[in-house]
Amino acid sequence: MVTYESLQHCIQPVIFHTGVKEAPLSTWGTGFSLGTQSRAFFVSARHVVQGTDPSDVCVMSPSGKLLPLKDSYCFDPELSTDDWADVSVHEVPLGEGKKKAPDARLIDLAVAGGDWQADALTSRIFVVGFPNDHTGVDYDVHEVYGGLVEMEGT
């Protein structure tokens, strides 16, 4: 059974290259990683990345390396302004012929199925994120830090 605890490691702050020498990185918003054995994706809200160059968006690998994102897809806000369409999907490049690392921070789509509708009315729900006042970049030690905030209910 998939639990919140097993998904927690997949949730990350969204990191941006700023192009500013004194402050080369910034954080804004939250996303999560998912994928298969050969492809990985990072999903966030469209409004978090809207207006930025997709090549400036990156995520942190388990080893602390910044991984730039590549091909991205957002629902066109002209077609729908509904909240369900506020989604951005970016592919995380794994390298030619590479497979995901065993310690990759992602929801494995190969095992993420199931009959969620049968348990929809009795399942635990949770909202998680990295609020801007709990997340940022420590430029003295060149590290991204994040304070994951959780709300849980049924």
Side-chain angles (χ1 to χ4, degrees):
M1 179 169 123
V2 177
T3 65
Y4 167 68
E5 291 75 21
S6 67
L7 297 177
Q8 193 172 13
H9 69 283
C10 304
I11 304 161
Q12 300 184 52
V14 183
I15 304 168
F16 298 90
H17 290 286
T18 65
V20 177
K21 183 180 177 183
E22 296 79 18
L25 299 174
S26 68
T27 61
W28 181 264
T30 304
F32 63 93
S33 301
L34 54 87
T36 63
Q37 193 62 23
S38 59
R39 294 182 78 186
F41 300 91
F42 187 72
V43 179
S44 185
R46 177 186 65 218
H47 71 266
V48 169
V49 298
Q50 194 167 12
T52 63
D53 185 328
S55 65
D56 287 336
V57 183
C58 54
V59 294
M60 188 78 64
S61 75
S63 66
K65 179 181 175 187
L66 289 177
L67 301 174
L69 303 179
K70 62 176 195 174
D71 301 332
S72 65
Y73 174 80
C74 292
F75 287 98
D76 185 344
E78 300 283 326
L79 299 176
S80 177
T81 57
D82 293 336
D83 285 343
W84 69 265
D86 189 21
V87 175
S88 172
V89 179
H90 302 264
E91 187 156 8
V92 179
L94 297 178
E96 194 63 36
K98 290 188 177 178
K99 292 187 175 187
K100 75 173 182 72
D103 62 346
R105 297 178 186 176
L106 56 82
I107 299 167
D108 189 347
L109 292 176
V111 297
D115 184 11
W116 65 269
Q117 290 179 326
D119 298 320
L121 297 178
T122 58
S123 294
R124 284 175 44 203
I125 60 166
F126 50 91
V127 178
V128 296
F130 288 93
N132 293 333
D133 58 349
H134 288 61
T135 306
V137 180
D138 183 335
Y139 294 110
D140 293 332
V141 294
H142 305 288
E143 288 182 357
V144 174
Y145 63 88
L148 184 64
V149 174
E150 313 158 5
M151 294 184 290
E152 185 178 341
T154 54

